Amino acid sequence: MNAADSEILEFARQQNRIIVTQDLDFSSLLALGGYEKPSLITFRLSVPDAETITRKLLDILPHIENRLVEGCAVTIDDRKARVRRLPIL
């Protein structure tokens, strides 16, 4: 898909999807727009291979499922996950 970040964000909002990315621009777009949705999961890993990302997602998703439905921004790094309710103020 060759779409601008703003187009992806709008598509995710309209379709009630969650954005999973390594692109830090989405956090800025959510904050600047004051959006309550879509939820966002951003990876900031030193080794962002598919196996590590999958393992991290499987570990965290059961703990944040309800918050993702409500609207949140999740940042996952090598040591921890940070969850912030949307809109980001």
Side-chain angles (χ1 to χ4, degrees):
M1 179 177 206
N2 257 349
D5 291 349
S6 59
E7 293 174 308
I8 295 169
L9 180 67
E10 187 57 32
F11 176 82
R13 286 181 63 221
Q14 290 176 359
Q15 298 293 317
N16 199 30
R17 305 293 175 109
I18 298 168
I19 296 173
V20 179
T21 186
Q22 294 181 76
D23 184 342
L24 302 180
D25 292 343
F26 285 103
S27 294
S28 297
L29 288 171
L30 282 174
L32 291 172
Y35 296 119
E36 294 181 4
K37 297 253 177 142
S39 287
L40 172 69
I41 300 174
T42 305
F43 285 95
R44 300 186 71 183
L45 301 171
S46 58
V47 181
D49 60 75
E51 183 179 328
T52 302
I53 289 171
T54 300
R55 184 173 28 83
K56 294 273 187 185
L57 276 174
L58 290 173
D59 287 346
I60 191 74
L61 284 176
H63 304 287
I64 64 170
E65 182 178 0
N66 290 337
R67 296 185 75 181
L68 289 169
V69 171
E70 295 169 0
C72 68
V74 181
T75 304
I76 300 173
D77 64 25
D78 292 326
R79 296 175 302 177
K80 64 186 182 311
R82 178 180 177 199
V83 181
R84 294 175 290 170
R85 184 171 175 80
L86 295 177
I88 299 170
L89 304 175

